[in-house]
Amino acid sequence: MRKNSIKNIRINGEVLRELSRIIRSEVKDPRIHPMTTVTAVEVTPDLKYCKAYISVLGTQEEAEASLAGLRCAVGYIRKELARSVNLRNTPEITFVLDRSIEYGVRMTTRIQEVREAERQNETLTGTDEEE
């Protein structure tokens, strides 16, 4: 099975949906921030390993605490995943902090700052050229 086969894409989607549900409604660890989101999942073609990318809307400390809580609850999460998703093998889950949303927000802010600076330069140079 190729890495990007239709079957693998479907499995990734189903595992993502179930991991999100399990983390949101079944894991009771107080370290896990309520605004924790599973942004992406990569299951290997042999279904042995799964890398789950986690995004936390909060401070860096809350993100680190949420990641630690998820790593402690990985056995429970894997057991619940095995109950809800019928796969030949239940993958070993590795949680990774996803910083792409944070990076996107930072880049959008920088782009807006550059555009604002260009507008200010245009208004300053535009008035001088017209006179």
Side-chain angles (χ1 to χ4, degrees):
M1 178 169 51
R2 295 184 328 257
K3 184 171 179 129
N4 291 328
S5 69
I6 300 297
K7 182 178 179 181
N8 201 343
I9 291 170
R10 278 196 338 252
I11 290 171
N12 287 343
E14 186 65 25
V15 170
L16 182 133
R17 192 171 20 263
E18 287 302 315
L19 276 179
S20 296
R21 183 190 62 77
I22 292 167
I23 291 170
R24 182 183 63 246
S25 63
E26 299 193 22
V27 177
K28 304 296 184 208
D29 194 326
R31 294 177 288 183
I32 298 174
H33 194 271
M35 295 298 289
T36 300
T37 307
V38 181
T39 57
V41 169
E42 293 176 2
V43 179
T44 58
D46 63 357
L47 306 176
K48 298 277 186 186
Y49 302 100
C50 170
K51 192 181 289 188
Y53 294 92
I54 305 298
S55 177
V56 178
L57 184 63
T59 65
Q60 183 65 28
E61 293 80 25
E62 291 170 335
E64 300 281 332
S66 294
L67 198 57
L70 288 171
R71 287 180 178 155
C72 287
V74 74
Y76 174 77
I77 293 170
R78 186 175 182 206
K79 181 180 73 169
E80 290 300 315
L81 185 64
R83 284 185 184 167
S84 60
V85 179
N86 186 17
L87 294 174
R88 180 181 29 179
N89 299 319
T90 302
E92 292 180 26
I93 304 167
T94 305
F95 291 105
V96 179
L97 197 58
D98 185 10
R99 301 192 188 281
S100 63
I101 295 173
E102 177 183 318
Y103 176 77
V105 169
R106 190 171 68 240
M107 292 308 294
T108 301
T109 304
R110 287 184 179 174
I111 290 170
Q112 288 174 347
E113 289 171 357
V114 169
R115 284 185 177 170
E116 186 62 35
E118 286 178 352
R119 284 188 199 128
Q120 289 177 356
N121 286 341
E122 286 176 0
T123 57
L124 291 176
T125 57
T127 56
D128 293 338
E129 292 174 1
E130 291 176 5
E131 294 177 3

